[in-house]
């Protein structure tokens, strides 16, 4: 553009030089730019240019943006542009898994499983420390049970301490002290344990010159008996006879808990057996000394040295091997070595220096409990300390009552019972459990209150166990839910009602039946009771479809038997534990659904192939395999499998099976036949045709060494 044209447009030449030069000269002021181009010029009135300011080129922005940049909004915008935030990468899981809720945590030391020791005269402060409860809470409970709570350091009775502890939900264990009491020597309590049919009861018969074993059903002891034997030296020993069958493990455990010495009876001709080891473990757990009596030493097959070697290999320190366990060789039938056994027991009791408190409230232990139709609940017990007096109020487990009568093992009525005496108590309101402690209380009100608290605590513990069982079952179902449905075995519940003569045998039978659980059948004990079978038992069995099991009880009357037959209820009566478990085991096997498996029922070898033509409606040409059955049976209704060189070629149903042009259903071994497999045209000479069948496999009842089980 010519300078003349530029000047005519009103643009000064100096401005153009400044715009086209790399650097601006001094004295040139900033240029204001608008959207119309360059409306304001140097030397004009609107320019506002001062000759004393530097000129700054800003070709990238308009006049409005230039003003905005100097404000706070512009600075924030510039800062946001310069700072670039890093983008976080979100990692996705490789596989989308379904949500699994967290499993509820089980506290190992929950309050329901805690055991707190209490004693006579303990303070509220000590009880609060043991139960981990605030003192104010315990004082409120004391007021509710009718006791004063003036100070936290006031002593309370052991009964009140138990009430308060059970109210906060903990289990208690009573600790008694003999300080200041009259302590005197007492006879030892000896428990005879061992394997079934090793001669425990026969040995006791020889010691007390009686014949108890002959009166036992089946020749085996099925009750926990207690009696006193006067020895030839004049000393008296209290004996407990425990059953040896595997079903009576709980009875042996109770015997070891209350005893001072355990006599482990082992047959010289049989050796160490499973129940021998179990009895040994019970004695060790109770920390009770053992005296070994090797019985039946008069038999020709007796080998006492082998028995000693077996016991030594099981970790029992015998005297012959440098230990402290005495070993006596005896014979109950020939009455050999009985005097040596007596000396061993008395020596062991002298070493233990057995003494007990004679005065004060009695401590007793329930050995057995039964229900008599005329006298009500009867409890067989052994006094451990103190003196039990007729007429006292007692609490036995969750039951209570006032003692009406105390009898010894001969049935003679007594006014009181001293330590180590086996007695029978009459007068309880209900039937306690075998193994419960007998506690003497001051009044009837205190007995009622303590019994009610124990019943409440028992129900709470039962609900707690049921809830834990539900959680375990739920976890097991969730674990099984991940498996395929075809792999899950079918399982049914088998409800059973158990009635027995005494509480101990009912518990033993119940435990034995629960051990018969298997992967296909679950034994569900819906009700247990002591006494004969009643009409209410039949009604309950009809309501839940249960089977009634009676053990060592009288046969039910004809009216109950007829009612059970009409309701299709089975009643199984037994007096021997062997026969009971065998009968119930076979009953479980019959009720089990079983598992179906595919097995080879027969095999046939292809000797020739015949082709015949049928109508188009019947499939056209058909290949008939001329076979000879080499093993088992070939059935038309079964699935056939075609094998060639051991590999499966085809599998399908049988279309036709003929023998001598006659249609047959089954062909036996050594017989020739013609076979047509549906949809199979690849049959060749030399192939093998297998006949497959579905077999329902039932579980098996196994009895060995006195123990029984169900194998699936």
């Amino acid at each position: 553009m010519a300078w003349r044209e530029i000047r005519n447009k009103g643009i000064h030449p100096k401005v153009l030089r400044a715009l086209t030069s790399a650097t601006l000269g001094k004295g040139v002021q900033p240029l204001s730019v608008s959207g119309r181009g360059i409306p304001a010029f140097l030397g004009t009135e609107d320019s506002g240019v001062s000759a004393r300011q530097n000129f700054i080129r800003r070709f990238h922005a308009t006049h409005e943006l230039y003003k905005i940049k100097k404000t706070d909004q512009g600075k924030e915008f510039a800062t946001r542009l310069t700072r670039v935030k890093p983008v976080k990468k979100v990692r996705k899981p490789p596989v989308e898994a379904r949500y699994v809720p967290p499993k509820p945590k089980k506290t190992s030391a929950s309050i329901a499983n805690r055991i707190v020791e209490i004693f006579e005269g303990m303070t509220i402060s000590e009880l609060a420390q043991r139960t981990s409860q605030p003192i104010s809470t315990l004082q409120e409970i004391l007021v509710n049970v009718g006791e004063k709570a003036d100070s936290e350091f006031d002593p309370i009775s052991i009964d009140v301490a138990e009430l308060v502890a059970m109210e906060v939900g903990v289990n208690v264990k009573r600790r008694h002290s003999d300080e200041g009491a009259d302590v005197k020597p007492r006879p030892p309590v000896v428990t005879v344990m061992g394997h079934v049919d090793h001669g425990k009861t026969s040995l006791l018969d020889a010691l007390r010159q009686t014949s108890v074993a002959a009166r036992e059903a089946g020749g085996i002891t099925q009750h926990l008996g207690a009696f006193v034997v006067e020895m030839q030296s004049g000393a008296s020993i209290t004996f407990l006879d425990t059953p040896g069958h595997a079903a009576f493990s709980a009875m042996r455990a109770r015997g070891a808990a209350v005893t001072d010495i355990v006599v482990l009876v082992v047959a010289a001709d049989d050796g160490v057996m499973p129940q021998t080891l179990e009895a040994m473990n019970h004695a060790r757990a109770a920390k009770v000394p053992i005296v070994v009596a090797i019985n039946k030493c008069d038999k020709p097959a007796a080998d006492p040295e082998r028995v000693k070697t077996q016991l030594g290999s099981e970790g029992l320190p015998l005297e012959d091997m440098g230990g402290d366990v005495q070993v006596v060789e005896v014979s109950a039938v020939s009455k050999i070595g009985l005097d040596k056994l007596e000396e061993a027991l008395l020596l062991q009791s002298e070493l233990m220096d057995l003494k007990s408190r004679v005065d004060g409230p009695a401590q007793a232990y329930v050995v057995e409990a039964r229900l008599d139709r005329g006298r009500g609940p009867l409890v067989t017990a052994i006094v451990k300390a103190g003196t039990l007096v007729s007429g006292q109020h007692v609490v036995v487990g969750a039951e209570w009552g006032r003692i009406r009568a105390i009898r010894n093992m001969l049935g003679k009525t007594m006014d009181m019972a001293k330590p180590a005496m086996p007695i029978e108590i009459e007068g309880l309101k209900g039937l306690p459990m075998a193994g419960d402690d007998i506690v003497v209380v001051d009044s009837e009100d205190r007995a009622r209150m303590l019994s009610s608290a124990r019943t409440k605590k028992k129900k709470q513990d039962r609900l707690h166990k049921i809830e834990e069982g539900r959680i375990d079952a739920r976890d097991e179902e969730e674990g099984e839910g991940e498996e395929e449905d075809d792999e899950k075995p079918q399982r049914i519940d088998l409800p059973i009602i158990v009635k027995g003569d005494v509480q101990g045998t009912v518990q033993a039978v119940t435990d034995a039946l629960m051990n018969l659980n298997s992967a296909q059948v679950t034994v569900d004990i819906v009700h247990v009771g002591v006494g004969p079978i009643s009409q209410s038992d039949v009604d309950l069995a009809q309501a839940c479809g249960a089977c009634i099991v009676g053990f060592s009880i009288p046969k039910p009357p004809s009216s109950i038997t007829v009612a059970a037959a009409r309701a299709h209820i089975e009643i199984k009566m037994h007096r021997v534990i062997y026969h009971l478990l065998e009968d119930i085991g076979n009953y479980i096997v019959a009720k089990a659904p079983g598992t179906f498996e595919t097995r080879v029922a027969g095999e046939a070898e292809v000797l020739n192939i015949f082709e015949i033509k049928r109508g188009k409606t019947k499939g056209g040409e058909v290949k008939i395999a001329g076979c000879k059955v080499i093993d088992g049976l070939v059935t038309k209704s079964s699935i056939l499998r075609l094998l060639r060189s051991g590999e499966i070629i085809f599998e399908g149903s049988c279309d036709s099976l003929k023998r001598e042009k006659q249609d047959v259903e089954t062909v036996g071994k050594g017989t020739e036949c013609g076979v047509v497999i549906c949809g199979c045209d690849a049959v060749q000479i030399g192939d093998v045709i297998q006949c497959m069948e579905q077999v329902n496999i039932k579980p098996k009842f196994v009895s060995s060494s006195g123990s029984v089980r169900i194998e699936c």
Side-chain angles (χ1 to χ4, degrees):
M1 182 182 297
W3 293 103
R4 189 182 300 275
E5 295 178 358
I6 294 174
R7 183 175 298 173
N8 293 336
K9 288 182 178 291
I11 302 176
H12 200 278
K14 292 182 179 181
V15 175
L16 293 177
R17 289 193 200 99
L19 293 176
T20 56
S21 64
T23 59
L24 296 177
K26 295 181 179 180
V28 182
Q29 295 192 4
L31 179 66
S32 177
V33 182
S34 65
R36 293 170 49 191
I38 309 177
F41 305 104
L42 294 173
T44 62
E45 297 178 357
D46 298 334
S47 63
V49 178
S50 176
R52 296 179 181 179
Q53 296 179 356
N54 292 332
F55 182 82
I56 301 174
R57 292 186 299 170
R58 298 185 183 276
F59 300 106
H60 61 280
T62 62
H63 185 66
E64 289 78 8
L65 292 177
Y66 179 76
K67 293 181 179 179
I68 292 174
K69 186 174 181 180
K70 291 189 176 183
T71 62
D72 295 335
Q73 183 180 358
K75 293 179 180 179
E76 182 181 354
F77 178 75
T79 304
R80 189 165 63 247
L81 290 177
T82 55
R83 295 180 182 178
V84 180
K85 296 182 179 180
V87 180
K88 295 183 179 180
K89 295 182 180 181
V90 181
R91 296 182 179 180
K92 296 182 179 180
V95 179
E96 294 185 359
R98 63 183 181 89
Y99 172 73
V100 179
K103 298 180 180 179
K105 296 181 180 180
K106 301 178 182 178
T107 57
S108 58
S110 60
I111 191 170
N113 297 329
R114 288 183 55 190
I115 299 178
V116 175
E117 282 192 353
I118 59 176
F119 52 89
E120 186 69 32
M122 70 184 309
T123 63
I124 302 175
S125 177
E126 292 174 335
L127 185 60
Q129 292 178 358
R130 294 173 184 267
T131 58
S132 302
Q133 296 292 325
I135 297 176
S136 59
T137 302
L138 302 186
Q139 288 177 342
E140 291 178 2
I141 298 175
L142 283 174
V143 174
N144 294 333
V145 299
E147 295 290 332
K148 293 182 180 180
D150 297 334
S151 173
E152 60 187 67
F153 300 105
D154 291 342
I156 58 177
S157 65
I158 191 171
D159 298 332
V160 175
E162 181 177 352
L163 285 173
V164 176
M166 287 191 297
E167 189 67 24
V168 297
V170 298
N171 298 319
V172 297
K173 179 181 180 181
R174 296 194 172 210
R175 190 182 68 190
H176 298 274
S177 177
D178 295 336
E179 294 182 4
D182 186 13
V183 180
K184 294 182 179 180
R186 63 168 177 84
V189 179
V190 179
T191 301
V192 182
M193 307 174 75
H195 192 72
V196 63
D197 200 26
H198 276 200
K200 300 181 295 297
T201 308
S202 301
L203 182 61
L204 291 176
D205 292 346
L207 289 172
R208 62 177 178 171
Q209 301 295 325
T210 59
S211 180
V212 177
R215 299 196 299 267
E216 294 286 353
I220 61 173
T221 302
Q222 300 177 130
H223 298 84
L224 193 63
F227 43 85
V228 179
V229 175
E230 297 292 338
M231 310 302 284
Q232 295 180 359
S233 61
S236 61
I237 299 177
T238 301
F239 281 98
L240 293 179
D241 186 15
T242 62
H245 194 271
F248 300 100
S249 175
M251 287 188 175
R252 287 190 293 275
R254 291 199 301 272
V258 75
T259 191
D260 299 316
I261 305 171
V262 168
V263 175
L264 186 63
V265 179
V266 187
D269 59 340
D270 201 6
V272 176
M273 300 300 287
Q275 271 66 63
T276 309
L277 300 177
E278 184 183 318
M280 189 189 310
N281 294 331
H282 285 317
R284 286 175 174 174
K287 298 180 180 180
V288 177
I290 299 175
V291 175
V292 178
I294 303 178
N295 195 18
K296 304 181 181 181
C297 290
D298 56 339
K299 285 192 172 184
D303 191 357
E305 296 300 326
R306 180 174 66 93
V307 175
K308 295 179 182 179
T309 304
Q310 291 176 345
L311 292 174
S313 63
E314 295 296 336
L316 195 65
L318 306 180
E319 283 187 339
D320 296 346
M321 302 178 182
D324 56 352
V325 176
Q326 302 180 70
V327 181
V328 182
E329 298 181 8
V330 298
S331 173
V333 177
S334 304
K335 298 182 180 180
I336 300 174
L338 299 182
D339 53 346
K340 295 182 180 179
L341 179 60
E342 177 186 353
E343 292 177 3
L345 294 176
L346 294 178
L347 176 60
Q348 186 65 46
S349 63
E350 288 179 4
L351 294 175
M352 298 175 66
D353 191 19
L354 299 174
K355 294 181 180 180
S356 292
R357 172 177 53 85
V358 179
D359 56 349
Q363 299 171 238
Y365 186 90
V366 177
V367 175
E368 198 63 271
R370 63 188 179 93
L371 188 63
D372 187 82
R373 181 171 295 182
R375 295 187 292 166
L378 301 177
V379 174
T380 302
I382 290 182
V383 180
K384 295 187 289 186
T387 302
L388 190 65
V389 183
S390 180
Q392 289 180 330
H393 290 89
V394 294
V395 178
V396 186
E399 305 295 337
W400 72 280
R402 183 176 180 272
I403 300 177
R404 269 197 316 265
I406 299 176
R407 294 180 177 86
N408 58 12
M409 292 297 100
L410 300 177
K412 184 179 178 181
T413 305
M414 305 169 59
D415 294 332
M416 61 182 63
K418 298 293 183 179
M421 289 184 60
I423 56 174
E424 187 178 67
I425 301 174
E426 177 184 340
L428 294 181
K429 302 296 181 181
L431 196 66
M433 298 294 295
D436 290 339
D437 287 332
I438 300 177
V439 178
V440 179
V441 294
D442 298 333
S443 61
E444 180 179 342
D445 294 338
R446 183 55 52 83
R448 288 177 181 270
M449 191 178 298
L450 197 57
S451 174
S452 177
R454 289 185 175 183
T455 303
K456 180 181 177 181
K457 183 65 171 61
K458 188 176 180 181
K459 290 181 180 179
Q460 291 177 353
D461 294 344
R462 181 184 178 188
L463 293 176
H464 182 72
K465 290 181 180 180
I466 292 175
E467 187 63 27
E468 287 184 349
R470 288 177 180 175
I471 294 175
D472 295 339
R474 193 184 306 121
D475 296 343
E476 185 177 353
E477 289 177 359
E478 290 178 358
E480 292 179 354
E482 300 176 358
E483 302 177 359
E484 297 182 0
D485 295 339
D486 297 339
E487 297 179 357
K488 291 183 180 179
Q490 295 182 359
R491 193 165 185 171
I492 63 172
D493 291 335
L494 186 64
I496 294 178
I497 297 174
V498 180
K499 299 298 290 287
D501 57 343
V502 295
Q503 186 68 48
T505 54
V506 169
Q507 181 182 354
V509 171
T510 302
D511 295 342
L513 294 180
M514 294 298 291
N515 291 332
L516 294 178
N517 287 332
S518 63
Q520 298 183 14
V521 179
T522 301
V523 177
D524 184 14
I525 306 297
V526 297
H527 176 68
V528 296
V530 176
I533 299 174
S534 60
Q535 183 62 39
S536 60
D537 298 328
V538 177
D539 296 338
L540 178 60
Q542 185 177 3
C544 60
C547 167
I548 302 177
V549 175
F551 184 74
S552 295
I553 57 176
K555 187 177 180 180
S558 58
S559 59
I560 294 179
T561 305
V562 171
R566 290 177 180 175
H568 304 286
I569 297 172
E570 294 190 43
I571 298 179
K572 300 181 180 296
M573 304 292 296
H574 293 281
R575 297 186 62 84
V576 181
I577 191 67
Y578 290 117
H579 303 158
L580 170 65
L581 295 179
E582 184 178 359
D583 191 6
I584 298 299
N586 295 329
Y587 180 71
I588 291 175
V589 170
K591 292 291 184 180
T595 56
F596 287 91
E597 291 185 1
T598 302
R599 291 185 176 181
V600 178
E603 290 184 351
E605 184 181 1
V606 179
L607 303 179
N608 204 346
I609 297 176
F610 305 94
E611 295 185 3
I612 61 173
K613 293 184 178 181
R614 294 181 179 178
K616 294 182 178 180
T617 58
K618 296 184 179 181
E621 294 184 357
V622 177
K623 287 186 177 181
I624 301 175
C627 306
K628 183 177 181 179
V629 181
I630 57 178
D631 188 19
L633 297 173
V634 176
T635 307
K636 184 178 180 180
S637 59
S638 301
I639 300 297
L640 301 182
R641 180 182 294 173
L642 181 64
L643 274 69
R644 183 176 302 157
S645 301
E647 297 182 359
I648 300 175
I649 303 299
F650 187 83
E651 186 173 341
S653 60
C654 180
D655 187 16
S656 176
L657 180 62
K658 292 188 177 184
R659 179 174 178 272
E660 296 179 355
K661 299 183 179 181
Q662 299 292 329
D663 291 330
V664 292
E665 293 294 330
T666 304
V667 179
K669 181 179 179 180
T671 307
E672 296 182 353
C673 60
V675 180
V676 177
I677 305 176
C678 290
C680 181
D681 295 332
V683 183
Q684 296 181 6
I685 298 175
D687 292 347
V688 176
I689 297 176
Q690 289 183 342
C691 177
M692 313 303 295
E693 65 175 356
Q694 290 285 334
V695 180
N696 187 9
I697 301 177
K698 292 276 190 177
K700 296 180 180 180
F701 172 75
V702 180
S703 175
S704 61
S705 300
S707 61
V708 294
R709 64 183 184 276
I710 303 292
E711 291 185 353
C712 295

